[in-house]
Amino acid sequence: MSSPASVPRLHTRLFNRWLDFIERAGNRLPDPLFLFFLMAVLVPVASWIAVSVHWTLPHPVSGEIIEPVNLLTRDNLQRMFTEAVENFTSFPPLGVVLVAMIGIGVAERSGLIATLLKWFVTAVPGGILTAALVLAGVMSNVAADAGYVVLTPLGAVLFASVGRHPVAGLCAAFAGVSGGFSANLVINALDPLLAGFTDAAAKLYDPTYQVVATANYYFMVASTFLIVAAGWWVTEKIVEPRLGPWKPDQALEPPDTQSTRLTERERTAALAAIGAGLLTLIACGLLSFPNGALLRDEAGGLAPFYESLIPLIAIVFVIPGLVYGLILGNIRTTGDVARMMGDTMATMGGYIVLAFMAAQFVTYFRWSNLGLMFALAGADFLKGIGVGAIPLLLGIIVLSAVINFFIGSASAKWALMAPVVVPMLMSLGFSPEMAQAAYRIGDSITNIITPLLPYFPIILAFARKYDRNIRLGTLISSMLPYSIAFGVVWSVQLVVWYLLDLPLGPGAPIHLPLPE
Protein backbone atom coordinates (compact mmCIF):
# COMPACT_ATOMS: atom_id res chain seq x y z
CA MET A 1 0.00 0.00 0.00
CA SER A 2 1.28 3.45 -0.90
CA SER A 3 2.36 5.70 1.95
CA PRO A 4 0.71 9.14 2.27
CA ALA A 5 3.96 10.81 1.22
CA SER A 6 4.14 8.76 -1.97
CA VAL A 7 0.72 9.95 -3.17
CA PRO A 8 1.77 13.61 -3.69
CA ARG A 9 4.98 12.39 -5.33
CA LEU A 10 2.94 10.19 -7.67
CA HIS A 11 0.64 13.08 -8.53
CA THR A 12 3.69 15.29 -9.14
CA ARG A 13 5.22 12.71 -11.49
CA LEU A 14 1.96 12.31 -13.40
CA PHE A 15 1.55 16.08 -13.70
CA ASN A 16 5.11 16.48 -14.95
CA ARG A 17 4.60 13.69 -17.47
CA TRP A 18 1.48 15.46 -18.71
CA LEU A 19 3.41 18.72 -19.10
CA ASP A 20 6.20 16.85 -20.87
CA PHE A 21 3.64 15.39 -23.28
CA ILE A 22 2.23 18.86 -23.98
CA GLU A 23 5.74 20.19 -24.51
CA ARG A 24 6.64 17.41 -26.96
CA ALA A 25 3.36 17.76 -28.82
CA GLY A 26 3.72 21.53 -28.97
CA ASN A 27 7.31 21.33 -30.16
CA ARG A 28 6.21 19.09 -33.04
CA LEU A 29 4.06 21.92 -34.33
CA PRO A 30 5.56 24.04 -37.10
CA ASP A 31 7.48 27.19 -36.27
CA PRO A 32 5.01 29.92 -35.16
CA LEU A 33 5.52 31.69 -38.49
CA PHE A 34 4.21 28.68 -40.40
CA LEU A 35 1.58 27.98 -37.73
CA PHE A 36 0.07 31.41 -38.30
CA PHE A 37 0.36 30.84 -42.06
CA LEU A 38 -1.54 27.55 -41.72
CA MET A 39 -4.28 29.16 -39.62
CA ALA A 40 -4.53 32.06 -42.07
CA VAL A 41 -5.17 29.47 -44.80
CA LEU A 42 -7.71 27.53 -42.71
CA VAL A 43 -9.86 30.53 -41.75
CA PRO A 44 -11.11 31.14 -45.32
CA VAL A 45 -11.89 27.43 -45.64
CA ALA A 46 -13.78 27.48 -42.33
CA SER A 47 -15.70 30.57 -43.47
CA TRP A 48 -16.74 28.77 -46.65
CA ILE A 49 -17.96 25.77 -44.62
CA ALA A 50 -19.91 28.04 -42.21
CA VAL A 51 -21.64 29.73 -45.16
CA SER A 52 -22.34 26.38 -46.83
CA VAL A 53 -24.20 25.03 -43.78
CA HIS A 54 -26.17 28.32 -43.49
CA TRP A 55 -25.01 29.06 -39.93
CA THR A 56 -26.61 32.30 -38.66
CA LEU A 57 -27.17 33.93 -35.26
CA PRO A 58 -29.21 36.93 -34.09
CA HIS A 59 -27.34 39.94 -32.71
CA PRO A 60 -28.12 40.19 -28.95
CA VAL A 61 -28.91 43.91 -29.08
CA SER A 62 -30.24 44.80 -32.53
CA GLY A 63 -31.72 41.42 -33.37
CA GLU A 64 -30.04 41.65 -36.78
CA ILE A 65 -29.08 38.30 -38.25
CA ILE A 66 -25.30 37.74 -38.21
CA GLU A 67 -23.90 35.60 -40.99
CA PRO A 68 -20.39 34.30 -41.66
CA VAL A 69 -18.56 35.90 -44.56
CA ASN A 70 -17.12 33.60 -47.20
CA LEU A 71 -13.50 34.65 -47.72
CA LEU A 72 -13.07 32.41 -50.76
CA THR A 73 -14.99 34.76 -53.06
CA ARG A 74 -13.17 36.67 -55.78
CA ASP A 75 -13.54 40.02 -54.01
CA ASN A 76 -12.28 38.76 -50.63
CA LEU A 77 -9.37 36.84 -52.16
CA GLN A 78 -8.40 40.01 -53.99
CA ARG A 79 -8.72 41.94 -50.73
CA MET A 80 -6.24 39.59 -49.05
CA PHE A 81 -3.59 40.72 -51.53
CA THR A 82 -4.45 44.41 -51.79
CA GLU A 83 -4.71 44.99 -48.03
CA ALA A 84 -1.87 42.70 -46.86
CA VAL A 85 0.52 45.60 -46.24
CA GLU A 86 -2.13 47.63 -44.42
CA ASN A 87 -3.01 44.59 -42.26
CA PHE A 88 0.65 44.37 -41.26
CA THR A 89 1.34 48.04 -40.61
CA SER A 90 -1.89 48.46 -38.61
CA PHE A 91 -1.26 45.36 -36.47
CA PRO A 92 -1.44 46.92 -32.94
CA PRO A 93 1.43 45.05 -31.22
CA LEU A 94 3.91 45.84 -34.02
CA GLY A 95 4.26 49.56 -33.35
CA VAL A 96 3.95 49.10 -29.58
CA VAL A 97 6.83 46.62 -29.46
CA LEU A 98 9.17 48.41 -31.86
CA VAL A 99 8.73 51.90 -30.38
CA ALA A 100 9.16 50.67 -26.81
CA MET A 101 12.24 48.63 -27.79
CA ILE A 102 13.94 51.72 -29.24
CA GLY A 103 14.00 53.27 -25.79
CA ILE A 104 14.74 50.03 -23.97
CA GLY A 105 17.61 49.34 -26.39
CA VAL A 106 19.44 52.52 -25.39
CA ALA A 107 18.96 51.81 -21.68
CA GLU A 108 20.08 48.20 -22.13
CA ARG A 109 23.09 48.70 -24.39
CA SER A 110 24.40 51.66 -22.43
CA GLY A 111 24.61 49.30 -19.44
CA LEU A 112 21.95 51.06 -17.33
CA ILE A 113 19.52 48.15 -17.06
CA ALA A 114 22.24 45.70 -16.06
CA THR A 115 23.45 48.09 -13.36
CA LEU A 116 19.95 48.72 -11.99
CA LEU A 117 19.29 44.98 -11.93
CA LYS A 118 22.48 44.37 -9.97
CA TRP A 119 21.35 47.03 -7.52
CA PHE A 120 17.89 45.46 -7.31
CA VAL A 121 19.38 42.00 -6.65
CA THR A 122 21.37 43.30 -3.69
CA ALA A 123 18.35 45.21 -2.31
CA VAL A 124 15.60 42.57 -2.58
CA PRO A 125 15.92 39.45 -0.40
CA GLY A 126 16.34 36.38 -2.60
CA GLY A 127 13.42 34.64 -0.93
CA ILE A 128 10.88 37.14 -2.27
CA LEU A 129 12.50 37.87 -5.63
CA THR A 130 9.95 35.78 -7.55
CA ALA A 131 6.99 37.30 -5.69
CA ALA A 132 8.31 40.81 -6.35
CA LEU A 133 8.60 40.02 -10.05
CA VAL A 134 5.05 38.63 -10.32
CA LEU A 135 3.69 41.64 -8.39
CA ALA A 136 5.56 44.00 -10.71
CA GLY A 137 3.94 42.18 -13.64
CA VAL A 138 0.45 42.59 -12.20
CA MET A 139 1.03 46.27 -11.41
CA SER A 140 2.47 46.93 -14.89
CA ASN A 141 -1.07 46.77 -16.25
CA VAL A 142 -1.43 50.38 -15.11
CA ALA A 143 0.70 51.15 -18.17
CA ALA A 144 -1.62 49.13 -20.47
CA ASP A 145 0.37 46.58 -22.53
CA ALA A 146 3.80 48.03 -21.78
CA GLY A 147 4.59 45.22 -19.31
CA TYR A 148 4.82 42.71 -22.15
CA VAL A 149 7.74 44.48 -23.79
CA VAL A 150 9.34 46.02 -20.71
CA LEU A 151 9.00 43.65 -17.79
CA THR A 152 9.18 40.18 -19.35
CA PRO A 153 12.71 40.62 -20.75
CA LEU A 154 13.77 42.30 -17.50
CA GLY A 155 12.47 39.28 -15.57
CA ALA A 156 14.72 37.02 -17.62
CA VAL A 157 17.79 39.21 -17.09
CA LEU A 158 17.01 39.51 -13.38
CA PHE A 159 16.90 35.73 -12.87
CA ALA A 160 20.07 35.22 -14.94
CA SER A 161 21.89 37.81 -12.83
CA VAL A 162 21.39 35.65 -9.71
CA GLY A 163 22.21 32.36 -11.44
CA ARG A 164 18.61 31.22 -11.93
CA HIS A 165 17.09 30.11 -15.22
CA PRO A 166 16.23 33.29 -17.16
CA VAL A 167 13.24 31.65 -18.88
CA ALA A 168 11.72 31.01 -15.43
CA GLY A 169 12.03 34.73 -14.70
CA LEU A 170 10.47 35.52 -18.05
CA CYS A 171 7.59 33.11 -17.30
CA ALA A 172 7.00 34.63 -13.85
CA ALA A 173 6.86 38.15 -15.29
CA PHE A 174 4.66 37.03 -18.21
CA ALA A 175 2.29 35.30 -15.78
CA GLY A 176 1.91 38.49 -13.77
CA VAL A 177 1.56 40.80 -16.78
CA SER A 178 -0.85 38.65 -18.79
CA GLY A 179 -2.35 35.97 -16.53
CA GLY A 180 -2.97 38.56 -13.82
CA PHE A 181 -4.24 41.12 -16.32
CA SER A 182 -7.44 41.88 -14.39
CA ALA A 183 -5.86 42.07 -10.94
CA ASN A 184 -4.40 45.31 -9.63
CA LEU A 185 -4.16 47.55 -6.59
CA VAL A 186 -5.22 50.64 -8.54
CA ILE A 187 -7.80 51.47 -11.20
CA ASN A 188 -6.30 51.31 -14.69
CA ALA A 189 -7.44 52.05 -18.24
CA LEU A 190 -9.20 48.69 -18.62
CA ASP A 191 -11.64 49.32 -15.76
CA PRO A 192 -13.63 52.21 -17.28
CA LEU A 193 -13.44 50.53 -20.70
CA LEU A 194 -15.10 47.30 -19.51
CA ALA A 195 -17.50 49.16 -17.21
CA GLY A 196 -18.78 51.11 -20.20
CA PHE A 197 -19.80 47.92 -22.01
CA THR A 198 -21.27 46.47 -18.79
CA ASP A 199 -23.29 49.62 -18.17
CA ALA A 200 -24.72 49.59 -21.70
CA ALA A 201 -25.63 45.90 -21.40
CA ALA A 202 -27.22 46.41 -17.94
CA LYS A 203 -29.47 49.13 -19.34
CA LEU A 204 -30.96 46.58 -21.74
CA TYR A 205 -32.52 44.96 -18.64
CA ASP A 206 -32.85 47.96 -16.31
CA PRO A 207 -32.53 51.41 -17.95
CA THR A 208 -31.87 53.01 -14.54
CA TYR A 209 -28.91 50.79 -13.57
CA GLN A 210 -25.44 52.36 -13.60
CA VAL A 211 -22.06 50.60 -13.63
CA VAL A 212 -18.95 52.64 -12.75
CA ALA A 213 -15.23 52.10 -13.28
CA THR A 214 -14.72 50.88 -9.69
CA ALA A 215 -17.24 48.03 -10.23
CA ASN A 216 -14.73 45.28 -9.37
CA TYR A 217 -12.15 47.24 -7.37
CA TYR A 218 -12.41 45.38 -4.02
CA PHE A 219 -12.43 42.02 -5.77
CA MET A 220 -9.40 42.86 -7.93
CA VAL A 221 -7.35 44.19 -5.02
CA ALA A 222 -7.87 40.90 -3.17
CA SER A 223 -7.10 39.05 -6.41
CA THR A 224 -3.69 40.69 -6.63
CA PHE A 225 -2.41 38.94 -3.51
CA LEU A 226 -3.82 35.58 -4.60
CA ILE A 227 -2.28 35.85 -8.07
CA VAL A 228 1.12 36.84 -6.66
CA ALA A 229 1.07 33.91 -4.22
CA ALA A 230 -0.01 31.44 -6.92
CA GLY A 231 2.55 32.77 -9.43
CA TRP A 232 5.31 32.60 -6.81
CA TRP A 233 4.45 28.98 -5.92
CA VAL A 234 4.14 27.80 -9.54
CA THR A 235 7.44 29.40 -10.55
CA GLU A 236 9.51 27.88 -7.76
CA LYS A 237 7.74 24.52 -7.37
CA ILE A 238 6.88 23.61 -10.96
CA VAL A 239 8.31 25.79 -13.73
CA GLU A 240 11.88 26.34 -12.54
CA PRO A 241 12.49 22.69 -11.55
CA ARG A 242 11.15 21.53 -14.95
CA LEU A 243 13.45 23.88 -16.84
CA GLY A 244 16.46 22.60 -14.92
CA PRO A 245 19.80 24.40 -14.73
CA TRP A 246 20.43 27.08 -17.30
CA LYS A 247 23.28 26.65 -19.78
CA PRO A 248 24.56 30.09 -20.82
CA ASP A 249 26.16 28.64 -23.96
CA GLN A 250 22.65 28.12 -25.38
CA ALA A 251 21.89 31.86 -25.20
CA LEU A 252 22.20 34.20 -28.16
CA GLU A 253 23.35 37.08 -25.94
CA PRO A 254 24.24 35.81 -22.45
CA PRO A 255 23.91 38.60 -19.86
CA ASP A 256 26.66 39.42 -17.44
CA THR A 257 26.02 37.23 -14.40
CA GLN A 258 29.50 37.25 -12.93
CA SER A 259 29.10 39.95 -10.32
CA THR A 260 26.37 41.88 -8.59
CA ARG A 261 28.76 44.36 -6.97
CA LEU A 262 28.64 47.89 -8.33
CA THR A 263 31.70 50.06 -8.79
CA GLU A 264 31.58 53.59 -7.40
CA ARG A 265 31.50 54.99 -10.93
CA GLU A 266 28.57 52.74 -11.88
CA ARG A 267 26.72 53.78 -8.74
CA THR A 268 27.26 57.49 -9.48
CA ALA A 269 26.12 57.07 -13.10
CA ALA A 270 23.07 55.05 -11.99
CA LEU A 271 22.05 57.69 -9.44
CA ALA A 272 22.35 60.38 -12.10
CA ALA A 273 20.28 58.26 -14.50
CA ILE A 274 17.62 57.68 -11.83
CA GLY A 275 17.49 61.43 -11.23
CA ALA A 276 17.11 62.03 -14.96
CA GLY A 277 14.38 59.39 -15.09
CA LEU A 278 12.47 61.00 -12.22
CA LEU A 279 12.69 64.43 -13.89
CA THR A 280 11.41 62.83 -17.10
CA LEU A 281 8.50 61.25 -15.24
CA ILE A 282 7.67 64.59 -13.62
CA ALA A 283 7.72 66.24 -17.06
CA CYS A 284 5.40 63.53 -18.40
CA GLY A 285 3.10 64.09 -15.43
CA LEU A 286 2.99 67.83 -16.06
CA LEU A 287 2.08 67.12 -19.67
CA SER A 288 -0.74 64.81 -18.60
CA PHE A 289 -2.42 65.45 -15.26
CA PRO A 290 -2.96 69.19 -14.60
CA ASN A 291 -6.18 70.67 -15.96
CA GLY A 292 -5.65 71.86 -19.51
CA ALA A 293 -2.44 69.84 -19.92
CA LEU A 294 -1.26 68.91 -23.41
CA LEU A 295 -2.17 65.23 -23.06
CA ARG A 296 -5.76 65.80 -21.92
CA ASP A 297 -8.72 65.94 -24.28
CA GLU A 298 -11.17 68.81 -24.55
CA ALA A 299 -13.43 67.28 -21.90
CA GLY A 300 -10.51 66.93 -19.48
CA GLY A 301 -10.16 63.15 -19.95
CA LEU A 302 -6.88 61.27 -20.08
CA ALA A 303 -7.45 59.44 -23.36
CA PRO A 304 -4.53 61.24 -25.13
CA PHE A 305 -2.25 60.29 -22.22
CA TYR A 306 -3.18 56.61 -22.42
CA GLU A 307 -2.70 56.67 -26.19
CA SER A 308 0.75 58.23 -25.72
CA LEU A 309 2.01 55.74 -23.13
CA ILE A 310 4.31 53.81 -25.46
CA PRO A 311 6.29 56.79 -26.84
CA LEU A 312 6.39 58.22 -23.30
CA ILE A 313 7.83 54.94 -22.02
CA ALA A 314 10.44 55.00 -24.80
CA ILE A 315 11.45 58.51 -23.75
CA VAL A 316 11.58 57.50 -20.07
CA PHE A 317 14.09 54.79 -21.01
CA VAL A 318 16.11 56.79 -23.56
CA ILE A 319 16.94 59.81 -21.38
CA PRO A 320 18.31 57.89 -18.35
CA GLY A 321 20.17 55.58 -20.77
CA LEU A 322 21.82 58.57 -22.40
CA VAL A 323 22.80 60.08 -19.04
CA TYR A 324 24.26 56.78 -17.84
CA GLY A 325 26.16 56.15 -21.08
CA LEU A 326 27.59 59.67 -21.21
CA ILE A 327 28.89 59.52 -17.63
CA LEU A 328 30.48 56.08 -18.07
CA GLY A 329 31.79 56.88 -21.55
CA ASN A 330 29.74 54.17 -23.27
CA ILE A 331 28.15 56.92 -25.38
CA ARG A 332 30.52 59.43 -26.97
CA THR A 333 28.81 60.48 -30.18
CA THR A 334 25.32 60.54 -31.69
CA GLY A 335 26.48 57.62 -33.81
CA ASP A 336 26.76 55.49 -30.67
CA VAL A 337 23.11 56.15 -29.85
CA ALA A 338 22.02 55.35 -33.41
CA ARG A 339 24.05 52.11 -33.30
CA MET A 340 22.41 51.04 -30.03
CA MET A 341 18.95 51.61 -31.46
CA GLY A 342 19.85 49.85 -34.70
CA ASP A 343 21.36 46.85 -32.92
CA THR A 344 18.19 46.51 -30.85
CA MET A 345 16.00 46.58 -33.97
CA ALA A 346 18.25 43.95 -35.56
CA THR A 347 17.32 41.50 -32.80
CA MET A 348 13.61 42.08 -33.61
CA GLY A 349 13.83 40.81 -37.19
CA GLY A 350 12.27 37.43 -36.42
CA TYR A 351 9.40 39.06 -34.58
CA ILE A 352 8.70 41.48 -37.43
CA VAL A 353 8.40 38.60 -39.92
CA LEU A 354 6.17 36.68 -37.50
CA ALA A 355 3.99 39.76 -36.93
CA PHE A 356 3.31 40.00 -40.66
CA MET A 357 1.73 36.54 -40.79
CA ALA A 358 -0.04 36.92 -37.43
CA ALA A 359 -1.60 40.17 -38.67
CA GLN A 360 -3.01 38.42 -41.75
CA PHE A 361 -4.56 35.63 -39.66
CA VAL A 362 -6.15 38.00 -37.12
CA THR A 363 -7.55 40.16 -39.91
CA TYR A 364 -9.03 37.19 -41.82
CA PHE A 365 -10.67 35.94 -38.63
CA ARG A 366 -12.28 39.35 -38.11
CA TRP A 367 -13.41 39.64 -41.73
CA SER A 368 -15.08 36.21 -41.58
CA ASN A 369 -17.28 37.06 -38.52
CA LEU A 370 -16.34 33.66 -37.05
CA GLY A 371 -14.95 35.10 -33.80
CA LEU A 372 -18.15 37.05 -33.15
CA MET A 373 -20.31 34.02 -33.89
CA PHE A 374 -18.30 31.65 -31.70
CA ALA A 375 -18.66 34.08 -28.77
CA LEU A 376 -22.42 34.47 -29.20
CA ALA A 377 -22.96 30.72 -29.66
CA GLY A 378 -21.12 29.99 -26.42
CA ALA A 379 -23.14 32.56 -24.47
CA ASP A 380 -26.39 31.19 -25.88
CA PHE A 381 -25.37 27.68 -24.85
CA LEU A 382 -24.78 28.78 -21.24
CA LYS A 383 -28.11 30.57 -21.20
CA GLY A 384 -29.95 27.47 -22.35
CA ILE A 385 -28.53 24.76 -20.07
CA GLY A 386 -30.24 26.10 -16.93
CA VAL A 387 -27.67 25.15 -14.25
CA GLY A 388 -27.39 26.45 -10.67
CA ALA A 389 -25.83 29.75 -9.61
CA ILE A 390 -22.26 28.63 -8.90
CA PRO A 391 -21.98 26.32 -11.96
CA LEU A 392 -23.33 29.18 -14.08
CA LEU A 393 -20.67 31.60 -12.82
CA LEU A 394 -17.96 29.00 -13.36
CA GLY A 395 -19.41 28.35 -16.82
CA ILE A 396 -19.00 32.02 -17.71
CA ILE A 397 -15.37 31.84 -16.58
CA VAL A 398 -14.79 28.78 -18.77
CA LEU A 399 -16.62 30.33 -21.73
CA SER A 400 -14.57 33.53 -21.48
CA ALA A 401 -11.37 31.49 -21.22
CA VAL A 402 -12.23 29.46 -24.32
CA ILE A 403 -13.29 32.47 -26.40
CA ASN A 404 -9.97 34.07 -25.45
CA PHE A 405 -8.29 31.56 -27.78
CA PHE A 406 -10.18 33.11 -30.70
CA ILE A 407 -10.50 36.80 -29.80
CA GLY A 408 -7.57 38.34 -27.97
CA SER A 409 -8.88 41.80 -27.07
CA ALA A 410 -10.50 41.96 -23.62
CA SER A 411 -12.75 44.85 -24.62
CA ALA A 412 -13.72 43.28 -27.96
CA LYS A 413 -14.80 40.03 -26.29
CA TRP A 414 -16.79 41.80 -23.62
CA ALA A 415 -18.44 44.03 -26.20
CA LEU A 416 -19.76 40.84 -27.80
CA MET A 417 -20.58 38.90 -24.64
CA ALA A 418 -21.94 41.58 -22.31
CA PRO A 419 -25.27 42.14 -24.13
CA VAL A 420 -26.03 38.41 -23.66
CA VAL A 421 -24.35 37.57 -20.33
CA VAL A 422 -25.23 40.67 -18.30
CA PRO A 423 -29.02 40.69 -18.89
CA MET A 424 -29.09 36.90 -18.48
CA LEU A 425 -27.46 37.08 -15.03
CA MET A 426 -29.54 40.11 -14.00
CA SER A 427 -32.69 38.10 -14.75
CA LEU A 428 -31.35 35.43 -12.36
CA GLY A 429 -30.62 37.94 -9.56
CA PHE A 430 -26.91 38.59 -10.20
CA SER A 431 -25.54 42.12 -10.53
CA PRO A 432 -23.82 43.33 -13.73
CA GLU A 433 -20.67 43.80 -11.63
CA MET A 434 -20.71 40.06 -10.83
CA ALA A 435 -21.05 39.20 -14.52
CA GLN A 436 -18.09 41.45 -15.29
CA ALA A 437 -15.95 39.90 -12.53
CA ALA A 438 -16.59 36.37 -13.83
CA TYR A 439 -15.74 37.48 -17.36
CA ARG A 440 -12.50 39.15 -16.29
CA ILE A 441 -11.26 35.98 -14.60
CA GLY A 442 -11.80 33.86 -17.71
CA ASP A 443 -10.34 36.54 -19.96
CA SER A 444 -7.10 36.64 -17.95
CA ILE A 445 -6.26 33.01 -17.22
CA THR A 446 -5.80 31.79 -20.81
CA ASN A 447 -3.89 34.84 -22.07
CA ILE A 448 -0.63 33.10 -21.25
CA ILE A 449 -1.31 29.88 -23.18
CA THR A 450 -2.90 31.10 -26.39
CA PRO A 451 -0.51 31.64 -29.33
CA LEU A 452 -3.15 34.04 -30.65
CA LEU A 453 -2.32 36.59 -27.96
CA PRO A 454 -0.76 39.37 -30.07
CA TYR A 455 2.24 39.57 -27.72
CA PHE A 456 2.86 35.81 -27.55
CA PRO A 457 5.36 35.88 -30.45
CA ILE A 458 7.45 38.56 -28.75
CA ILE A 459 7.52 36.53 -25.52
CA LEU A 460 8.78 33.54 -27.52
CA ALA A 461 11.40 35.76 -29.17
CA PHE A 462 12.59 36.98 -25.74
CA ALA A 463 12.80 33.36 -24.50
CA ARG A 464 14.88 32.31 -27.49
CA LYS A 465 17.37 35.02 -26.63
CA TYR A 466 18.36 32.88 -23.63
CA ASP A 467 17.76 29.44 -25.10
CA ARG A 468 17.86 29.28 -28.88
CA ASN A 469 16.29 25.80 -28.79
CA ILE A 470 13.03 26.86 -27.10
CA ARG A 471 9.94 26.26 -29.21
CA LEU A 472 6.25 26.90 -28.89
CA GLY A 473 5.51 23.72 -26.92
CA THR A 474 8.13 24.50 -24.27
CA LEU A 475 6.70 27.96 -23.64
CA ILE A 476 3.07 26.77 -23.55
CA SER A 477 3.86 23.85 -21.21
CA SER A 478 5.76 26.26 -18.94
CA MET A 479 2.83 28.70 -18.82
CA LEU A 480 0.07 26.09 -18.47
CA PRO A 481 0.62 25.54 -14.69
CA TYR A 482 0.13 29.28 -14.14
CA SER A 483 -3.09 29.18 -16.15
CA ILE A 484 -4.44 26.25 -14.11
CA ALA A 485 -3.38 27.73 -10.76
CA PHE A 486 -4.79 31.18 -11.55
CA GLY A 487 -8.04 29.63 -12.76
CA VAL A 488 -8.44 27.56 -9.60
CA VAL A 489 -7.62 30.26 -7.03
CA TRP A 490 -9.60 32.95 -8.84
CA SER A 491 -12.66 30.71 -9.23
CA VAL A 492 -12.50 29.77 -5.54
CA GLN A 493 -12.26 33.46 -4.66
CA LEU A 494 -15.34 34.24 -6.76
CA VAL A 495 -17.32 31.42 -5.11
CA VAL A 496 -16.28 32.61 -1.62
CA TRP A 497 -17.22 36.18 -2.55
CA TYR A 498 -20.62 34.89 -3.71
CA LEU A 499 -21.25 32.77 -0.62
CA LEU A 500 -20.28 35.59 1.76
CA ASP A 501 -22.14 38.17 -0.35
CA LEU A 502 -19.22 40.61 -0.24
CA PRO A 503 -19.30 43.84 -2.27
CA LEU A 504 -17.26 43.65 -5.48
CA GLY A 505 -16.48 47.36 -5.37
CA PRO A 506 -17.86 50.59 -3.88
CA GLY A 507 -21.63 50.27 -4.14
CA ALA A 508 -21.29 47.14 -6.29
CA PRO A 509 -23.32 44.24 -4.82
CA ILE A 510 -23.34 40.64 -5.97
CA HIS A 511 -27.09 40.10 -5.86
CA LEU A 512 -30.04 42.02 -7.24
CA PRO A 513 -33.60 41.72 -5.94
CA LEU A 514 -35.56 39.39 -8.17
CA PRO A 515 -38.88 40.71 -9.53
CA GLU A 516 -41.90 39.29 -7.75
Side-chain angles (χ1 to χ4, degrees):
M1 188 169 111
S2 299
S3 66
S6 68
V7 175
R9 286 197 296 268
L10 175 62
H11 289 168
T12 300
R13 288 198 300 271
L14 292 175
F15 184 66
N16 282 330
R17 287 178 183 175
W18 179 55
L19 292 178
D20 291 341
F21 169 78
I22 292 173
E23 179 177 359
R24 290 193 299 270
N27 286 342
R28 289 193 181 99
L29 293 172
D31 186 88
L33 173 66
F34 293 97
L35 190 62
F36 277 113
F37 171 77
L38 179 63
M39 291 188 293
V41 171
L42 290 178
V43 167
V45 176
S47 71
W48 173 78
I49 294 173
V51 170
S52 299
V53 300
H54 306 291
W55 183 29
T56 61
L57 288 170
H59 193 281
V61 178
S62 66
E64 178 186 356
I65 297 300
I66 302 172
E67 300 177 344
V69 176
N70 182 7
L71 298 186
L72 293 182
T73 63
R74 175 184 174 86
D75 288 344
N76 282 320
L77 288 172
Q78 187 180 81
R79 189 183 183 190
M80 292 180 190
F81 287 96
T82 59
E83 298 187 21
V85 174
E86 182 182 347
N87 296 341
F88 173 55
T89 56
S90 61
F91 189 48
L94 180 66
V96 169
V97 170
L98 296 184
V99 172
M101 289 304 294
I102 289 174
I104 294 171
V106 174
E108 179 184 15
R109 294 176 186 277
S110 68
L112 173 61
I113 289 179
T115 296
L116 292 179
L117 286 173
K118 289 178 183 180
W119 207 338
F120 181 77
V121 167
T122 59
V124 175
I128 63 168
L129 185 60
T130 305
L133 185 57
V134 178
L135 177 61
V138 171
M139 295 303 297
S140 73
N141 296 323
V142 174
D145 293 344
Y148 288 107
V149 292
V150 175
L151 195 66
T152 49
L154 293 186
V157 176
L158 180 61
F159 266 45
S161 67
V162 293
R164 298 173 65 179
H165 202 300
V167 176
L170 179 143
C171 289
F174 184 31
V177 171
S178 194
F181 190 69
S182 279
N184 216 302
L185 299 178
V186 297
I187 297 296
N188 59 47
L190 184 65
D191 292 283
L193 186 61
L194 294 183
F197 291 118
T198 307
D199 182 70
K203 283 179 168 56
L204 296 174
Y205 183 86
D206 179 358
T208 66
Y209 203 95
Q210 185 175 10
V211 179
V212 297
T214 56
N216 297 143
Y217 180 62
Y218 298 158
F219 185 79
M220 292 307 162
V221 168
S223 299
T224 301
F225 300 101
L226 276 180
I227 292 302
V228 169
W232 185 2
W233 186 84
V234 168
T235 302
E236 299 197 351
K237 300 298 182 181
I238 299 177
V239 174
E240 201 166 4
R242 282 194 75 249
L243 289 170
W246 179 50
K247 299 177 182 178
D249 60 342
Q250 294 179 339
L252 296 177
E253 296 181 17
D256 176 20
T257 61
Q258 299 303 313
S259 173
T260 58
R261 182 174 300 175
L262 298 181
T263 66
E264 191 60 36
R265 193 177 177 193
E266 286 177 330
R267 191 181 302 273
T268 300
L271 286 172
I274 291 171
L278 290 175
L279 290 175
T280 307
L281 287 173
I282 292 171
C284 292
L286 292 175
L287 288 173
S288 308
F289 299 114
N291 291 329
L294 178 65
L295 296 181
R296 279 183 176 267
D297 58 28
E298 293 180 358
L302 287 171
F305 166 71
Y306 288 121
E307 293 171 4
S308 305
L309 270 174
I310 298 305
L312 289 176
I313 287 171
I315 293 170
V316 167
F317 274 94
V318 165
I319 292 177
L322 288 174
V323 170
Y324 183 87
L326 288 169
I327 292 176
L328 278 190
N330 298 333
I331 296 176
R332 299 181 184 277
T333 67
T334 55
D336 292 333
V337 179
R339 176 181 50 78
M340 290 176 179
M341 293 179 176
D343 289 347
T344 301
M345 288 297 101
T347 66
M348 303 303 296
Y351 171 72
I352 294 171
V353 174
L354 186 60
F356 173 80
M357 194 53 64
Q360 308 311 315
F361 163 71
V362 170
T363 303
Y364 298 167
F365 205 62
R366 175 169 48 83
W367 286 351
S368 70
N369 270 350
L370 291 179
L372 166 62
M373 297 181 73
F374 286 150
L376 295 180
D380 284 340
F381 171 76
L382 272 184
K383 187 175 181 178
I385 58 178
V387 296
I390 291 177
L392 180 60
L393 292 173
L394 297 179
I396 291 172
I397 293 174
V398 172
L399 174 64
S400 305
V402 171
I403 293 175
N404 200 31
F405 284 100
F406 303 101
I407 306 174
S409 168
S411 58
K413 285 195 298 294
W414 192 228
L416 300 174
M417 293 177 61
V420 176
V421 172
V422 172
M424 176 183 72
L425 287 185
M426 291 179 75
S427 68
L428 297 174
F430 289 103
S431 69
E433 292 87 349
M434 188 61 163
Q436 180 177 289
Y439 164 74
R440 294 181 73 168
I441 293 171
D443 171 62
S444 293
I445 60 178
T446 50
N447 277 339
I448 48 181
I449 57 173
T450 170
L452 302 189
L453 177 74
Y455 292 100
F456 203 89
I458 188 63
I459 303 301
L460 183 59
F462 287 145
R464 283 178 170 170
K465 185 176 179 180
Y466 298 96
D467 185 348
R468 62 174 66 92
N469 298 317
I470 279 186
R471 301 189 64 185
L472 192 63
T474 305
L475 185 56
I476 291 177
S477 66
S478 296
M479 299 312 301
L480 185 59
Y482 293 103
S483 186
I484 295 171
F486 289 178
V488 170
V489 299
W490 236 335
S491 298
V492 170
Q493 181 189 352
L494 189 71
V495 171
V496 170
W497 228 261
Y498 165 77
L499 293 175
L500 297 180
D501 198 18
L502 300 174
L504 294 160
I510 286 179
H511 296 98
L512 296 178
L514 287 171
E516 297 181 0

